[in-house]
mmCIF file with all atom_site columns, all heavy atoms in Angstrom:
data_model
loop_
_atom_site.group_PDB
_atom_site.id
_atom_site.type_symbol
_atom_site.label_atom_id
_atom_site.label_alt_id
_atom_site.label_comp_id
_atom_site.label_asym_id
_atom_site.label_entity_id
_atom_site.label_seq_id
_atom_site.pdbx_PDB_ins_code
_atom_site.Cartn_x
_atom_site.Cartn_y
_atom_site.Cartn_z
_atom_site.occupancy
_atom_site.B_iso_or_equiv
_atom_site.pdbx_formal_charge
_atom_site.auth_seq_id
_atom_site.auth_comp_id
_atom_site.auth_asym_id
_atom_site.auth_atom_id
_atom_site.pdbx_PDB_model_num
ATOM 1   N N   . VAL A 1 1  ? 107.875 142.974 112.039 1.00 0.00 ? 1053 VAL A N   1
ATOM 2   C CA  . VAL A 1 1  ? 106.809 142.309 112.780 1.00 0.00 ? 1053 VAL A CA  1
ATOM 3   C C   . VAL A 1 1  ? 106.131 141.276 111.859 1.00 0.00 ? 1053 VAL A C   1
ATOM 4   O O   . VAL A 1 1  ? 105.890 141.568 110.699 1.00 0.00 ? 1053 VAL A O   1
ATOM 5   C CB  . VAL A 1 1  ? 105.753 143.338 113.249 1.00 0.00 ? 1053 VAL A CB  1
ATOM 6   C CG1 . VAL A 1 1  ? 104.634 142.655 113.992 1.00 0.00 ? 1053 VAL A CG1 1
ATOM 7   C CG2 . VAL A 1 1  ? 106.386 144.438 114.062 1.00 0.00 ? 1053 VAL A CG2 1
ATOM 8   N N   . SER A 1 2  ? 105.841 140.126 112.418 1.00 0.00 ? 1054 SER A N   1
ATOM 9   C CA  . SER A 1 2  ? 105.081 139.107 111.709 1.00 0.00 ? 1054 SER A CA  1
ATOM 10  C C   . SER A 1 2  ? 104.090 138.510 112.699 1.00 0.00 ? 1054 SER A C   1
ATOM 11  O O   . SER A 1 2  ? 104.468 138.108 113.790 1.00 0.00 ? 1054 SER A O   1
ATOM 12  C CB  . SER A 1 2  ? 106.033 138.024 111.188 1.00 0.00 ? 1054 SER A CB  1
ATOM 13  O OG  . SER A 1 2  ? 105.298 136.926 110.691 1.00 0.00 ? 1054 SER A OG  1
ATOM 14  N N   . PHE A 1 3  ? 102.808 138.482 112.331 1.00 0.00 ? 1055 PHE A N   1
ATOM 15  C CA  . PHE A 1 3  ? 101.823 137.878 113.219 1.00 0.00 ? 1055 PHE A CA  1
ATOM 16  C C   . PHE A 1 3  ? 100.635 137.373 112.414 1.00 0.00 ? 1055 PHE A C   1
ATOM 17  O O   . PHE A 1 3  ? 100.499 137.647 111.234 1.00 0.00 ? 1055 PHE A O   1
ATOM 18  C CB  . PHE A 1 3  ? 101.372 138.833 114.325 1.00 0.00 ? 1055 PHE A CB  1
ATOM 19  C CG  . PHE A 1 3  ? 100.687 140.082 113.847 1.00 0.00 ? 1055 PHE A CG  1
ATOM 20  C CD1 . PHE A 1 3  ? 99.299  140.173 113.829 1.00 0.00 ? 1055 PHE A CD1 1
ATOM 21  C CD2 . PHE A 1 3  ? 101.405 141.190 113.435 1.00 0.00 ? 1055 PHE A CD2 1
ATOM 22  C CE1 . PHE A 1 3  ? 98.665  141.320 113.403 1.00 0.00 ? 1055 PHE A CE1 1
ATOM 23  C CE2 . PHE A 1 3  ? 100.787 142.346 113.022 1.00 0.00 ? 1055 PHE A CE2 1
ATOM 24  C CZ  . PHE A 1 3  ? 99.398  142.408 113.009 1.00 0.00 ? 1055 PHE A CZ  1
ATOM 25  N N   . HIS A 1 4  ? 99.812  136.589 113.079 1.00 0.00 ? 1056 HIS A N   1
ATOM 26  C CA  . HIS A 1 4  ? 98.594  136.033 112.476 1.00 0.00 ? 1056 HIS A CA  1
ATOM 27  C C   . HIS A 1 4  ? 97.396  136.566 113.241 1.00 0.00 ? 1056 HIS A C   1
ATOM 28  O O   . HIS A 1 4  ? 97.439  136.705 114.454 1.00 0.00 ? 1056 HIS A O   1
ATOM 29  C CB  . HIS A 1 4  ? 98.588  134.510 112.544 1.00 0.00 ? 1056 HIS A CB  1
ATOM 30  C CG  . HIS A 1 4  ? 99.758  133.875 111.873 1.00 0.00 ? 1056 HIS A CG  1
ATOM 31  N ND1 . HIS A 1 4  ? 100.630 133.040 112.522 1.00 0.00 ? 1056 HIS A ND1 1
ATOM 32  C CD2 . HIS A 1 4  ? 100.204 133.974 110.600 1.00 0.00 ? 1056 HIS A CD2 1
ATOM 33  C CE1 . HIS A 1 4  ? 101.553 132.644 111.683 1.00 0.00 ? 1056 HIS A CE1 1
ATOM 34  N NE2 . HIS A 1 4  ? 101.326 133.210 110.504 1.00 0.00 ? 1056 HIS A NE2 1
ATOM 35  N N   . ILE A 1 5  ? 96.354  136.886 112.492 1.00 0.00 ? 1057 ILE A N   1
ATOM 36  C CA  . ILE A 1 5  ? 95.109  137.318 113.105 1.00 0.00 ? 1057 ILE A CA  1
ATOM 37  C C   . ILE A 1 5  ? 94.001  136.622 112.343 1.00 0.00 ? 1057 ILE A C   1
ATOM 38  O O   . ILE A 1 5  ? 94.121  136.396 111.136 1.00 0.00 ? 1057 ILE A O   1
ATOM 39  C CB  . ILE A 1 5  ? 94.959  138.862 113.062 1.00 0.00 ? 1057 ILE A CB  1
ATOM 40  C CG1 . ILE A 1 5  ? 93.770  139.303 113.883 1.00 0.00 ? 1057 ILE A CG1 1
ATOM 41  C CG2 . ILE A 1 5  ? 94.922  139.367 111.646 1.00 0.00 ? 1057 ILE A CG2 1
ATOM 42  C CD1 . ILE A 1 5  ? 93.761  140.787 114.186 1.00 0.00 ? 1057 ILE A CD1 1
ATOM 43  N N   . GLY A 1 6  ? 92.933  136.244 113.037 1.00 0.00 ? 1058 GLY A N   1
ATOM 44  C CA  . GLY A 1 6  ? 91.926  135.474 112.337 1.00 0.00 ? 1058 GLY A CA  1
ATOM 45  C C   . GLY A 1 6  ? 90.571  135.458 113.004 1.00 0.00 ? 1058 GLY A C   1
ATOM 46  O O   . GLY A 1 6  ? 90.280  136.262 113.884 1.00 0.00 ? 1058 GLY A O   1
ATOM 47  N N   . ALA A 1 7  ? 89.776  134.500 112.558 1.00 0.00 ? 1059 ALA A N   1
ATOM 48  C CA  . ALA A 1 7  ? 88.399  134.382 113.017 1.00 0.00 ? 1059 ALA A CA  1
ATOM 49  C C   . ALA A 1 7  ? 88.053  132.916 113.186 1.00 0.00 ? 1059 ALA A C   1
ATOM 50  O O   . ALA A 1 7  ? 88.639  132.044 112.554 1.00 0.00 ? 1059 ALA A O   1
ATOM 51  C CB  . ALA A 1 7  ? 87.447  135.021 112.008 1.00 0.00 ? 1059 ALA A CB  1
ATOM 52  N N   . ARG A 1 8  ? 87.091  132.673 114.043 1.00 0.00 ? 1060 ARG A N   1
ATOM 53  C CA  . ARG A 1 8  ? 86.609  131.316 114.302 1.00 0.00 ? 1060 ARG A CA  1
ATOM 54  C C   . ARG A 1 8  ? 85.089  131.327 114.262 1.00 0.00 ? 1060 ARG A C   1
ATOM 55  O O   . ARG A 1 8  ? 84.463  132.225 114.797 1.00 0.00 ? 1060 ARG A O   1
ATOM 56  C CB  . ARG A 1 8  ? 87.084  130.866 115.687 1.00 0.00 ? 1060 ARG A CB  1
ATOM 57  C CG  . ARG A 1 8  ? 86.625  129.501 116.071 1.00 0.00 ? 1060 ARG A CG  1
ATOM 58  C CD  . ARG A 1 8  ? 87.155  129.141 117.416 1.00 0.00 ? 1060 ARG A CD  1
ATOM 59  N NE  . ARG A 1 8  ? 86.664  127.829 117.780 1.00 0.00 ? 1060 ARG A NE  1
ATOM 60  C CZ  . ARG A 1 8  ? 87.137  127.096 118.751 1.00 0.00 ? 1060 ARG A CZ  1
ATOM 61  N NH1 . ARG A 1 8  ? 88.129  127.563 119.457 1.00 0.00 ? 1060 ARG A NH1 1
ATOM 62  N NH2 . ARG A 1 8  ? 86.634  125.931 119.010 1.00 0.00 ? 1060 ARG A NH2 1
ATOM 63  N N   . THR A 1 9  ? 84.515  130.352 113.599 1.00 0.00 ? 1061 THR A N   1
ATOM 64  C CA  . THR A 1 9  ? 83.071  130.269 113.513 1.00 0.00 ? 1061 THR A CA  1
ATOM 65  C C   . THR A 1 9  ? 82.570  128.879 113.901 1.00 0.00 ? 1061 THR A C   1
ATOM 66  O O   . THR A 1 9  ? 83.345  127.923 113.902 1.00 0.00 ? 1061 THR A O   1
ATOM 67  C CB  . THR A 1 9  ? 82.575  130.568 112.080 1.00 0.00 ? 1061 THR A CB  1
ATOM 68  O OG1 . THR A 1 9  ? 83.133  129.591 111.195 1.00 0.00 ? 1061 THR A OG1 1
ATOM 69  C CG2 . THR A 1 9  ? 82.968  131.961 111.627 1.00 0.00 ? 1061 THR A CG2 1
ATOM 70  N N   . VAL A 1 10 ? 81.304  128.793 114.213 1.00 0.00 ? 1062 VAL A N   1
ATOM 71  C CA  . VAL A 1 10 ? 80.642  127.517 114.467 1.00 0.00 ? 1062 VAL A CA  1
ATOM 72  C C   . VAL A 1 10 ? 79.408  127.446 113.591 1.00 0.00 ? 1062 VAL A C   1
ATOM 73  O O   . VAL A 1 10 ? 78.842  128.472 113.187 1.00 0.00 ? 1062 VAL A O   1
ATOM 74  C CB  . VAL A 1 10 ? 80.249  127.339 115.954 1.00 0.00 ? 1062 VAL A CB  1
ATOM 75  C CG1 . VAL A 1 10 ? 81.499  127.288 116.815 1.00 0.00 ? 1062 VAL A CG1 1
ATOM 76  C CG2 . VAL A 1 10 ? 79.368  128.478 116.442 1.00 0.00 ? 1062 VAL A CG2 1
ATOM 77  N N   . ASN A 1 11 ? 78.975  126.246 113.259 1.00 0.00 ? 1063 ASN A N   1
ATOM 78  C CA  . ASN A 1 11 ? 77.791  126.020 112.426 1.00 0.00 ? 1063 ASN A CA  1
ATOM 79  C C   . ASN A 1 11 ? 77.836  126.829 111.134 1.00 0.00 ? 1063 ASN A C   1
ATOM 80  O O   . ASN A 1 11 ? 76.901  127.538 110.790 1.00 0.00 ? 1063 ASN A O   1
ATOM 81  C CB  . ASN A 1 11 ? 76.512  126.349 113.224 1.00 0.00 ? 1063 ASN A CB  1
ATOM 82  C CG  . ASN A 1 11 ? 76.363  125.468 114.432 1.00 0.00 ? 1063 ASN A CG  1
ATOM 83  O OD1 . ASN A 1 11 ? 76.759  124.305 114.403 1.00 0.00 ? 1063 ASN A OD1 1
ATOM 84  N ND2 . ASN A 1 11 ? 75.823  126.013 115.505 1.00 0.00 ? 1063 ASN A ND2 1
ATOM 85  N N   . ASP A 1 12 ? 78.944  126.715 110.426 1.00 0.00 ? 1064 ASP A N   1
ATOM 86  C CA  . ASP A 1 12 ? 79.158  127.460 109.174 1.00 0.00 ? 1064 ASP A CA  1
ATOM 87  C C   . ASP A 1 12 ? 79.663  126.481 108.109 1.00 0.00 ? 1064 ASP A C   1
ATOM 88  O O   . ASP A 1 12 ? 80.776  126.599 107.612 1.00 0.00 ? 1064 ASP A O   1
ATOM 89  C CB  . ASP A 1 12 ? 80.179  128.574 109.423 1.00 0.00 ? 1064 ASP A CB  1
ATOM 90  C CG  . ASP A 1 12 ? 80.390  129.467 108.225 1.00 0.00 ? 1064 ASP A CG  1
ATOM 91  O OD1 . ASP A 1 12 ? 79.508  129.540 107.347 1.00 0.00 ? 1064 ASP A OD1 1
ATOM 92  O OD2 . ASP A 1 12 ? 81.452  130.121 108.161 1.00 0.00 ? 1064 ASP A OD2 1
ATOM 93  N N   . PRO A 1 13 ? 78.843  125.474 107.708 1.00 0.00 ? 1065 PRO A N   1
ATOM 94  C CA  . PRO A 1 13 ? 79.314  124.417 106.827 1.00 0.00 ? 1065 PRO A CA  1
ATOM 95  C C   . PRO A 1 13 ? 79.759  124.903 105.448 1.00 0.00 ? 1065 PRO A C   1
ATOM 96  O O   . PRO A 1 13 ? 80.626  124.302 104.834 1.00 0.00 ? 1065 PRO A O   1
ATOM 97  C CB  . PRO A 1 13 ? 78.135  123.452 106.722 1.00 0.00 ? 1065 PRO A CB  1
ATOM 98  C CG  . PRO A 1 13 ? 76.943  124.234 107.138 1.00 0.00 ? 1065 PRO A CG  1
ATOM 99  C CD  . PRO A 1 13 ? 77.419  125.303 108.088 1.00 0.00 ? 1065 PRO A CD  1
ATOM 100 N N   . ALA A 1 14 ? 79.228  125.968 104.954 1.00 0.00 ? 1066 ALA A N   1
ATOM 101 C CA  . ALA A 1 14 ? 79.603  126.470 103.623 1.00 0.00 ? 1066 ALA A CA  1
ATOM 102 C C   . ALA A 1 14 ? 80.659  127.556 103.686 1.00 0.00 ? 1066 ALA A C   1
ATOM 103 O O   . ALA A 1 14 ? 81.060  128.117 102.665 1.00 0.00 ? 1066 ALA A O   1
ATOM 104 C CB  . ALA A 1 14 ? 78.366  126.995 102.892 1.00 0.00 ? 1066 ALA A CB  1
ATOM 105 N N   . ASN A 1 15 ? 81.144  127.896 104.878 1.00 0.00 ? 1067 ASN A N   1
ATOM 106 C CA  . ASN A 1 15 ? 82.205  128.890 105.091 1.00 0.00 ? 1067 ASN A CA  1
ATOM 107 C C   . ASN A 1 15 ? 81.812  130.314 104.732 1.00 0.00 ? 1067 ASN A C   1
ATOM 108 O O   . ASN A 1 15 ? 82.678  131.162 104.525 1.00 0.00 ? 1067 ASN A O   1
ATOM 109 C CB  . ASN A 1 15 ? 83.481  128.508 104.349 1.00 0.00 ? 1067 ASN A CB  1
ATOM 110 C CG  . ASN A 1 15 ? 84.120  127.266 104.901 1.00 0.00 ? 1067 ASN A CG  1
ATOM 111 O OD1 . ASN A 1 15 ? 84.111  127.039 106.105 1.00 0.00 ? 1067 ASN A OD1 1
ATOM 112 N ND2 . ASN A 1 15 ? 84.658  126.452 104.022 1.00 0.00 ? 1067 ASN A ND2 1
ATOM 113 N N   . TYR A 1 16 ? 80.533  130.630 104.642 1.00 0.00 ? 1068 TYR A N   1
ATOM 114 C CA  . TYR A 1 16 ? 80.102  132.002 104.313 1.00 0.00 ? 1068 TYR A CA  1
ATOM 115 C C   . TYR A 1 16 ? 80.463  132.983 105.422 1.00 0.00 ? 1068 TYR A C   1
ATOM 116 O O   . TYR A 1 16 ? 80.994  134.074 105.165 1.00 0.00 ? 1068 TYR A O   1
ATOM 117 C CB  . TYR A 1 16 ? 78.611  132.069 104.021 1.00 0.00 ? 1068 TYR A CB  1
ATOM 118 C CG  . TYR A 1 16 ? 78.200  131.361 102.762 1.00 0.00 ? 1068 TYR A CG  1
ATOM 119 C CD1 . TYR A 1 16 ? 77.285  130.333 102.795 1.00 0.00 ? 1068 TYR A CD1 1
ATOM 120 C CD2 . TYR A 1 16 ? 78.729  131.736 101.533 1.00 0.00 ? 1068 TYR A CD2 1
ATOM 121 C CE1 . TYR A 1 16 ? 76.910  129.667 101.627 1.00 0.00 ? 1068 TYR A CE1 1
ATOM 122 C CE2 . TYR A 1 16 ? 78.367  131.097 100.362 1.00 0.00 ? 1068 TYR A CE2 1
ATOM 123 C CZ  . TYR A 1 16 ? 77.452  130.059 100.418 1.00 0.00 ? 1068 TYR A CZ  1
ATOM 124 O OH  . TYR A 1 16 ? 77.084  129.410 99.286  1.00 0.00 ? 1068 TYR A OH  1
ATOM 125 N N   . ASP A 1 17 ? 80.167  132.601 106.662 1.00 0.00 ? 1069 ASP A N   1
ATOM 126 C CA  . ASP A 1 17 ? 80.435  133.499 107.791 1.00 0.00 ? 1069 ASP A CA  1
ATOM 127 C C   . ASP A 1 17 ? 81.924  133.759 107.973 1.00 0.00 ? 1069 ASP A C   1
ATOM 128 O O   . ASP A 1 17 ? 82.347  134.899 108.172 1.00 0.00 ? 1069 ASP A O   1
ATOM 129 C CB  . ASP A 1 17 ? 79.850  132.916 109.088 1.00 0.00 ? 1069 ASP A CB  1
ATOM 130 C CG  . ASP A 1 17 ? 78.336  132.855 109.053 1.00 0.00 ? 1069 ASP A CG  1
ATOM 131 O OD1 . ASP A 1 17 ? 77.721  133.609 108.261 1.00 0.00 ? 1069 ASP A OD1 1
ATOM 132 O OD2 . ASP A 1 17 ? 77.768  132.053 109.808 1.00 0.00 ? 1069 ASP A OD2 1
ATOM 133 N N   . ILE A 1 18 ? 82.720  132.695 107.892 1.00 0.00 ? 1070 ILE A N   1
ATOM 134 C CA  . ILE A 1 18 ? 84.158  132.865 108.128 1.00 0.00 ? 1070 ILE A CA  1
ATOM 135 C C   . ILE A 1 18 ? 84.791  133.705 107.020 1.00 0.00 ? 1070 ILE A C   1
ATOM 136 O O   . ILE A 1 18 ? 85.664  134.529 107.281 1.00 0.00 ? 1070 ILE A O   1
ATOM 137 C CB  . ILE A 1 18 ? 84.874  131.514 108.310 1.00 0.00 ? 1070 ILE A CB  1
ATOM 138 C CG1 . ILE A 1 18 ? 86.179  131.745 109.040 1.00 0.00 ? 1070 ILE A CG1 1
ATOM 139 C CG2 . ILE A 1 18 ? 85.113  130.818 106.986 1.00 0.00 ? 1070 ILE A CG2 1
ATOM 140 C CD1 . ILE A 1 18 ? 86.781  130.498 109.620 1.00 0.00 ? 1070 ILE A CD1 1
ATOM 141 N N   . MET A 1 19 ? 84.355  133.557 105.783 1.00 0.00 ? 1071 MET A N   1
ATOM 142 C CA  . MET A 1 19 ? 84.928  134.357 104.707 1.00 0.00 ? 1071 MET A CA  1
ATOM 143 C C   . MET A 1 19 ? 84.505  135.826 104.809 1.00 0.00 ? 1071 MET A C   1
ATOM 144 O O   . MET A 1 19 ? 85.272  136.709 104.459 1.00 0.00 ? 1071 MET A O   1
ATOM 145 C CB  . MET A 1 19 ? 84.573  133.768 103.340 1.00 0.00 ? 1071 MET A CB  1
ATOM 146 C CG  . MET A 1 19 ? 85.234  132.414 103.067 1.00 0.00 ? 1071 MET A CG  1
ATOM 147 S SD  . MET A 1 19 ? 87.015  132.373 103.444 1.00 0.00 ? 1071 MET A SD  1
ATOM 148 C CE  . MET A 1 19 ? 87.658  133.510 102.249 1.00 0.00 ? 1071 MET A CE  1
ATOM 149 N N   . LEU A 1 20 ? 83.313  136.063 105.322 1.00 0.00 ? 1072 LEU A N   1
ATOM 150 C CA  . LEU A 1 20 ? 82.883  137.446 105.578 1.00 0.00 ? 1072 LEU A CA  1
ATOM 151 C C   . LEU A 1 20 ? 83.772  138.088 106.624 1.00 0.00 ? 1072 LEU A C   1
ATOM 152 O O   . LEU A 1 20 ? 84.241  139.212 106.461 1.00 0.00 ? 1072 LEU A O   1
ATOM 153 C CB  . LEU A 1 20 ? 81.407  137.482 106.024 1.00 0.00 ? 1072 LEU A CB  1
ATOM 154 C CG  . LEU A 1 20 ? 80.849  138.846 106.362 1.00 0.00 ? 1072 LEU A CG  1
ATOM 155 C CD1 . LEU A 1 20 ? 80.796  139.732 105.117 1.00 0.00 ? 1072 LEU A CD1 1
ATOM 156 C CD2 . LEU A 1 20 ? 79.472  138.711 106.987 1.00 0.00 ? 1072 LEU A CD2 1
ATOM 157 N N   . LEU A 1 21 ? 84.063  137.349 107.704 1.00 0.00 ? 1073 LEU A N   1
ATOM 158 C CA  . LEU A 1 21 ? 84.936  137.865 108.765 1.00 0.00 ? 1073 LEU A CA  1
ATOM 159 C C   . LEU A 1 21 ? 86.357  138.088 108.273 1.00 0.00 ? 1073 LEU A C   1
ATOM 160 O O   . LEU A 1 21 ? 86.978  139.108 108.576 1.00 0.00 ? 1073 LEU A O   1
ATOM 161 C CB  . LEU A 1 21 ? 84.935  136.901 109.958 1.00 0.00 ? 1073 LEU A CB  1
ATOM 162 C CG  . LEU A 1 21 ? 83.634  136.793 110.722 1.00 0.00 ? 1073 LEU A CG  1
ATOM 163 C CD1 . LEU A 1 21 ? 83.696  135.646 111.730 1.00 0.00 ? 1073 LEU A CD1 1
ATOM 164 C CD2 . LEU A 1 21 ? 83.308  138.089 111.430 1.00 0.00 ? 1073 LEU A CD2 1
ATOM 165 N N   . VAL A 1 22 ? 86.889  137.172 107.475 1.00 0.00 ? 1074 VAL A N   1
ATOM 166 C CA  . VAL A 1 22 ? 88.221  137.318 106.911 1.00 0.00 ? 1074 VAL A CA  1
ATOM 167 C C   . VAL A 1 22 ? 88.292  138.523 105.987 1.00 0.00 ? 1074 VAL A C   1
ATOM 168 O O   . VAL A 1 22 ? 89.244  139.284 105.988 1.00 0.00 ? 1074 VAL A O   1
ATOM 169 C CB  . VAL A 1 22 ? 88.670  136.020 106.195 1.00 0.00 ? 1074 VAL A CB  1
ATOM 170 C CG1 . VAL A 1 22 ? 89.928  136.258 105.353 1.00 0.00 ? 1074 VAL A CG1 1
ATOM 171 C CG2 . VAL A 1 22 ? 88.913  134.917 107.215 1.00 0.00 ? 1074 VAL A CG2 1
ATOM 172 N N   . GLY A 1 23 ? 87.234  138.753 105.216 1.00 0.00 ? 1075 GLY A N   1
ATOM 173 C CA  . GLY A 1 23 ? 87.168  139.941 104.346 1.00 0.00 ? 1075 GLY A CA  1
ATOM 174 C C   . GLY A 1 23 ? 87.207  141.228 105.148 1.00 0.00 ? 1075 GLY A C   1
ATOM 175 O O   . GLY A 1 23 ? 87.867  142.193 104.755 1.00 0.00 ? 1075 GLY A O   1
ATOM 176 N N   . LYS A 1 24 ? 86.513  141.262 106.282 1.00 0.00 ? 1076 LYS A N   1
ATOM 177 C CA  . LYS A 1 24 ? 86.537  142.443 107.166 1.00 0.00 ? 1076 LYS A CA  1
ATOM 178 C C   . LYS A 1 24 ? 87.928  142.687 107.716 1.00 0.00 ? 1076 LYS A C   1
ATOM 179 O O   . LYS A 1 24 ? 88.390  143.819 107.808 1.00 0.00 ? 1076 LYS A O   1
ATOM 180 C CB  . LYS A 1 24 ? 85.531  142.303 108.294 1.00 0.00 ? 1076 LYS A CB  1
ATOM 181 C CG  . LYS A 1 24 ? 84.089  142.249 107.855 1.00 0.00 ? 1076 LYS A CG  1
ATOM 182 C CD  . LYS A 1 24 ? 83.655  143.590 107.326 1.00 0.00 ? 1076 LYS A CD  1
ATOM 183 C CE  . LYS A 1 24 ? 82.175  143.548 106.970 1.00 0.00 ? 1076 LYS A CE  1
ATOM 184 N NZ  . LYS A 1 24 ? 81.756  144.756 106.289 1.00 0.00 ? 1076 LYS A NZ  1
ATOM 185 N N   . LEU A 1 25 ? 88.623  141.609 108.110 1.00 0.00 ? 1077 LEU A N   1
ATOM 186 C CA  . LEU A 1 25 ? 89.992  141.747 108.615 1.00 0.00 ? 1077 LEU A CA  1
ATOM 187 C C   . LEU A 1 25 ? 90.914  142.292 107.545 1.00 0.00 ? 1077 LEU A C   1
ATOM 188 O O   . LEU A 1 25 ? 91.762  143.147 107.817 1.00 0.00 ? 1077 LEU A O   1
ATOM 189 C CB  . LEU A 1 25 ? 90.519  140.395 109.104 1.00 0.00 ? 1077 LEU A CB  1
ATOM 190 C CG  . LEU A 1 25 ? 89.983  139.889 110.419 1.00 0.00 ? 1077 LEU A CG  1
ATOM 191 C CD1 . LEU A 1 25 ? 90.448  138.467 110.675 1.00 0.00 ? 1077 LEU A CD1 1
ATOM 192 C CD2 . LEU A 1 25 ? 90.401  140.791 111.560 1.00 0.00 ? 1077 LEU A CD2 1
ATOM 193 N N   . LYS A 1 26 ? 90.749  141.829 106.297 1.00 0.00 ? 1078 LYS A N   1
ATOM 194 C CA  . LYS A 1 26 ? 91.588  142.316 105.206 1.00 0.00 ? 1078 LYS A CA  1
ATOM 195 C C   . LYS A 1 26 ? 91.322  143.786 104.901 1.00 0.00 ? 1078 LYS A C   1
ATOM 196 O O   . LYS A 1 26 ? 92.200  144.495 104.416 1.00 0.00 ? 1078 LYS A O   1
ATOM 197 C CB  . LYS A 1 26 ? 91.399  141.463 103.964 1.00 0.00 ? 1078 LYS A CB  1
ATOM 198 C CG  . LYS A 1 26 ? 92.077  140.101 104.077 1.00 0.00 ? 1078 LYS A CG  1
ATOM 199 C CD  . LYS A 1 26 ? 91.893  139.257 102.838 1.00 0.00 ? 1078 LYS A CD  1
ATOM 200 C CE  . LYS A 1 26 ? 92.744  139.806 101.727 1.00 0.00 ? 1078 LYS A CE  1
ATOM 201 N NZ  . LYS A 1 26 ? 92.673  138.991 100.500 1.00 0.00 ? 1078 LYS A NZ  1
ATOM 202 N N   . GLU A 1 27 ? 90.103  144.272 105.164 1.00 0.00 ? 1079 GLU A N   1
ATOM 203 C CA  . GLU A 1 27 ? 89.804  145.702 104.971 1.00 0.00 ? 1079 GLU A CA  1
ATOM 204 C C   . GLU A 1 27 ? 90.555  146.544 105.993 1.00 0.00 ? 1079 GLU A C   1
ATOM 205 O O   . GLU A 1 27 ? 91.042  147.623 105.676 1.00 0.00 ? 1079 GLU A O   1
ATOM 206 C CB  . GLU A 1 27 ? 88.309  145.942 105.115 1.00 0.00 ? 1079 GLU A CB  1
ATOM 207 C CG  . GLU A 1 27 ? 87.470  145.455 103.948 1.00 0.00 ? 1079 GLU A CG  1
ATOM 208 C CD  . GLU A 1 27 ? 85.973  145.660 104.193 1.00 0.00 ? 1079 GLU A CD  1
ATOM 209 O OE1 . GLU A 1 27 ? 85.619  146.443 105.089 1.00 0.00 ? 1079 GLU A OE1 1
ATOM 210 O OE2 . GLU A 1 27 ? 85.179  145.021 103.485 1.00 0.00 ? 1079 GLU A OE2 1
ATOM 211 N N   . VAL A 1 28 ? 90.637  146.064 107.223 1.00 0.00 ? 1080 VAL A N   1
ATOM 212 C CA  . VAL A 1 28 ? 91.327  146.808 108.281 1.00 0.00 ? 1080 VAL A CA  1
ATOM 213 C C   . VAL A 1 28 ? 92.839  146.724 108.115 1.00 0.00 ? 1080 VAL A C   1
ATOM 214 O O   . VAL A 1 28 ? 93.544  147.723 108.226 1.00 0.00 ? 1080 VAL A O   1
ATOM 215 C CB  . VAL A 1 28 ? 90.919  146.268 109.681 1.00 0.00 ? 1080 VAL A CB  1
ATOM 216 C CG1 . VAL A 1 28 ? 91.747  146.914 110.772 1.00 0.00 ? 1080 VAL A CG1 1
ATOM 217 C CG2 . VAL A 1 28 ? 89.433  146.497 109.922 1.00 0.00 ? 1080 VAL A CG2 1
ATOM 218 N N   . PHE A 1 29 ? 93.342  145.516 107.806 1.00 0.00 ? 1081 PHE A N   1
ATOM 219 C CA  . PHE A 1 29 ? 94.785  145.295 107.681 1.00 0.00 ? 1081 PHE A CA  1
ATOM 220 C C   . PHE A 1 29 ? 95.141  145.101 106.210 1.00 0.00 ? 1081 PHE A C   1
ATOM 221 O O   . PHE A 1 29 ? 95.516  143.999 105.803 1.00 0.00 ? 1081 PHE A O   1
ATOM 222 C CB  . PHE A 1 29 ? 95.196  144.071 108.493 1.00 0.00 ? 1081 PHE A CB  1
ATOM 223 C CG  . PHE A 1 29 ? 95.010  144.233 109.965 1.00 0.00 ? 1081 PHE A CG  1
ATOM 224 C CD1 . PHE A 1 29 ? 93.926  143.668 110.603 1.00 0.00 ? 1081 PHE A CD1 1
ATOM 225 C CD2 . PHE A 1 29 ? 95.908  144.966 110.724 1.00 0.00 ? 1081 PHE A CD2 1
ATOM 226 C CE1 . PHE A 1 29 ? 93.746  143.794 111.966 1.00 0.00 ? 1081 PHE A CE1 1
ATOM 227 C CE2 . PHE A 1 29 ? 95.733  145.121 112.088 1.00 0.00 ? 1081 PHE A CE2 1
ATOM 228 C CZ  . PHE A 1 29 ? 94.648  144.530 112.711 1.00 0.00 ? 1081 PHE A CZ  1
ATOM 229 N N   . ASN A 1 30 ? 95.043  146.143 105.402 1.00 0.00 ? 1082 ASN A N   1
ATOM 230 C CA  . ASN A 1 30 ? 95.411  146.004 103.995 1.00 0.00 ? 1082 ASN A CA  1
ATOM 231 C C   . ASN A 1 30 ? 96.832  146.530 103.765 1.00 0.00 ? 1082 ASN A C   1
ATOM 232 O O   . ASN A 1 30 ? 97.353  147.311 104.542 1.00 0.00 ? 1082 ASN A O   1
ATOM 233 C CB  . ASN A 1 30 ? 94.376  146.651 103.063 1.00 0.00 ? 1082 ASN A CB  1
ATOM 234 C CG  . ASN A 1 30 ? 94.175  148.109 103.347 1.00 0.00 ? 1082 ASN A CG  1
ATOM 235 O OD1 . ASN A 1 30 ? 95.043  148.766 103.930 1.00 0.00 ? 1082 ASN A OD1 1
ATOM 236 N ND2 . ASN A 1 30 ? 93.059  148.652 102.944 1.00 0.00 ? 1082 ASN A ND2 1
#
């Protein structure tokens, strides 16, 4: 199996919110 999973944010110019969400995904899918 190969797939992509991710997150989308708005009003996040410094990418703090999106990196927090990506970190949470990596905790679940490690």
Side-chain angles (χ1 to χ4, degrees):
V1053 179
S1054 171
F1055 63 97
H1056 302 121
I1057 189 165
R1060 178 179 179 165
T1061 61
V1062 295
N1063 299 326
D1064 185 22
N1067 293 323
Y1068 291 121
D1069 294 337
I1070 201 163
M1071 292 312 295
L1072 178 66
L1073 292 170
V1074 168
K1076 295 291 184 188
L1077 285 172
K1078 286 180 73 177
E1079 287 176 17
V1080 173
F1081 295 102
N1082 58 22

